[in-house]
């Protein structure tokens, strides 16, 4: 048999073979491209949107910057007003509006907008530079410093930490895991929880944290510590009772309580009398003697350091959903009662014990926003069914905390004295008397919201123009009565002088009786046992 001629089939086979090769190459390219896109999409989906708060998740997308990026707005201050002398906003139409925003460079190709109202960049901006790839730096790693909170910056680092105080005020951190890009980076912050406020910031020294590959001979250890370090300041508005808690004590609890006493405090702008006033808090949070950071020139060595205090962006509050340990203001008040050995965790329920009436604490004031008819208020409180205690808040915290904790209801005109609600038993009642002048936002921000977070019942009584002594200073057709908001818009000096300094309160006790009765009813309805 003659062999079959296959020459006519060869070109056809080659053609099919070529097409098959082209198809396989195309399929391979598409598969690689799709896989790459999928991987990139997954990286992007793990980065959360910017939110209005300071969270560890948000922090994972904010990379360190090499300069001080503190957010501050115009500080509004007066020595006469005890509370609210510096607001994180402008008062407009009875609301608090912030107008500050900033941009922080994240890397060579990405910008993170620190305005929390803006959303995250799209996936095509998530490009990591070649140096990061060479150093095997994983995208989305936790940064050293979180600058996203409008109230407080916080830096946290592990490694060979050398802390130098006095005139130097430097923290050097050496860690073999630092990339080439990270080495040499530094952050300069003011470790006080009110960074937007120029008025308070002017009283706080800056501290710099710098990343290094290794330490020189000039930074040998004078003191070695086996516990973590926490560096912060107590300058600013400390000395005002409200700011003592809102700017230092609550953020300090939120930052350090999880250490269970095993942490060393290094405090800048230290005030010995202030420390002594609140010594029970410090002794409960740390077992170690405080280091005066501004006057200690030794090199202190640690394995872990936190610079700055963690806090909620509001005043006198903790947001458990954004706190890494889930702490709440109720946790803080429980901690406070323990620190001061306060015995009562719950108020009296009327009628539960024969002959025992609930106690109401009427907090008075000597100078501004004082009650002018205290005796009438006391008579009405007794008529409703309370035993009344009348006193002005005093400097001896240990003694006054006992007085507050012995009461079931606390009432007072808006002011720093109401900060003593931290000593009340859980489920007690707070009555804030709000002065004339559209002060709803200030009243709510400073005490209404914190009270509820502390698991206290909150009642509010806003006085009318018949109950303010401003009627003795201004005619009824004045803007004080006709258009209070126009005076807000004239600035802090005018606003505070009229509504916080010149004003006293004469309660209409017949109208106020319903508030006292409501407070008594809330105590009767307690379900804490």
């Amino acid at each position: 048999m003659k062999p079959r001629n296959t020459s006519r089939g060869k070109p056809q086979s080659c053609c099919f073979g070529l097409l098959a090769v082209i198809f396989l190459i195309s399929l391979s390219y598409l598969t690689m491209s799709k896989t790459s896109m999928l991987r990139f999409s997954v990286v992007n989906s793990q980065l959360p949107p910017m939110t209005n708060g300071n969270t560890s998740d948000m922090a994972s997308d904010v990379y360190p910057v090499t300069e001080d990026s503190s957010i501050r707005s115009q500080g509004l201050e007066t020595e006469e007003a005890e509370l609210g002398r510096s607001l994180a906003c402008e008062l407009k139409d009875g609301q608090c509006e912030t107008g500050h925003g900033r941009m922080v460079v994240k890397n060579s190709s990405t910008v993170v907008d620190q305005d929390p109202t803006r959303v995250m960049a799209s996936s095509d901006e998530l490009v990591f530079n070649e140096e990061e790839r060479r150093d095997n730096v994983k995208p989305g790693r936790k940064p050293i410093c979180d600058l996203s909170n409008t109230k407080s910056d916080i830096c946290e680092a592990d490694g060979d930490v050398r802390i130098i105080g006095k005139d130097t005020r430097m923290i050097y951190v050496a860690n073999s895991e630092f990339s080439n890009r990270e080495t040499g980076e530094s952050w300069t912050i003011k470790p006080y929880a009110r960074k937007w406020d120029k008025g308070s910031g002017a009283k706080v020294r800056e501290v710099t944290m710098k990343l290094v590959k290794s330490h020189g001979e000039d930074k040998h250890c004078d003191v070695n510590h086996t516990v973590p370090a926490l560096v912060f300041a107590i300058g600013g508005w400390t000395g005002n009772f409200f700011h003592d808690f809102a700017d230092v004590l609550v953020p300090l609890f939120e930052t350090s309580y999880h250490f269970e006493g095993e942490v060393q405090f290094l405090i800048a702008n230290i005030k010995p009398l202030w420390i002594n006033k609140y010594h029970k808090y410090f002794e409960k949070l740390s077992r170690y003697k405080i280091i005066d950071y501004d006057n200690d020139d030794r090199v202190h060595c640690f394995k872990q350091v936190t610079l700055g205090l963690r806090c909620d962006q509001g005043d006198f509050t903790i947001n458990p959903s954004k706190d890494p340990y889930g702490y709440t203001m109720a946790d803080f008040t429980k901690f406070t009662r323990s620190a001061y050995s306060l015995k009562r965790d719950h108020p009296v329920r009327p009628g539960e014990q024969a002959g025992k009436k609930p106690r109401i604490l009427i907090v008075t004031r000597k100078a501004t926003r004082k009650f002018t008819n205290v005796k009438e208020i006391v008579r009405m409180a007794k008529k409703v069914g309370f035993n009344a205690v009348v006193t002005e808040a005093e400097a001896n915290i240990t003694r006054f905390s006992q007085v507050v904790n012995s009461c079931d209801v606390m009432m007072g005109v808006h002011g720093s004295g109401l900060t003593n609600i931290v000593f009340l038993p859980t489920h007690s009642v707070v009555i804030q008397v709000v002065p004339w002048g559209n002060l709803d936002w200030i009243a709510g921000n400073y005490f209404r919201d914190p009270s509820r977070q502390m698991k206290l019942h909150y009642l509010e009584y806003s006085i009318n123009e018949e109950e303010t002594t401003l009627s003795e200073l201004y005619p009824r057709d004045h803007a004080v009565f006709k258009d209070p908001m126009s005076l807000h818009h004239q600035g802090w000096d005018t606003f505070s002088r009229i509504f916080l300094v010149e004003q006293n309160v004469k309660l209409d006790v017949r109208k106020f009786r319903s508030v006292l009765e409501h407070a008594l009813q809330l105590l009767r309805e307690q379900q804490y046992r």
Side-chain angles (χ1 to χ4, degrees), residues 242 315-318 329-330 333 421 443-456 458:
F242 176 81
D315 278 312
F316 204 26
T317 57
I318 298 175
M329 283 301 291
T333 56
I421 60 178
N445 186 64
Y446 288 147
F447 297 113
R448 181 194 307 135
D449 298 340
S451 293
R452 291 166 178 168
Q453 288 192 17
M454 295 176 197
K455 295 185 179 180
L456 300 172
Y458 177 86

Side-chain angles (χ1 to χ4, degrees), residues 1 37 60 77 138 142 144 173 183 285 310 324 370 387 406 485 525:
M1 178 181 290
M37 290 174 66
S60 68
E77 55 183 300
K138 295 181 179 180
K142 184 177 179 180
I144 300 297
V173 182
T183 303
L285 289 170
R310 180 177 290 107
K370 63 185 178 182
N387 283 330
S406 72
M485 291 309 304
E525 295 171 354

Side-chain angles (χ1 to χ4, degrees), residues 335-348:
F335 167 80
T336 295
R337 291 195 297 271
S338 174
Y340 283 88
S341 302
L342 303 178
K343 298 179 180 179
R344 301 176 72 233
D345 291 326
H346 301 288
V348 165

Side-chain angles (χ1 to χ4, degrees), residues 257-276:
Y257 184 66
H258 71 279
F259 289 116
E260 297 181 344
E262 293 300 315
V263 61
Q264 174 67 64
F265 294 155
L266 296 92
I267 303 181
N269 302 93
I270 203 164
K271 303 175 182 178
L273 291 177
W274 192 91
I275 294 291
N276 186 60

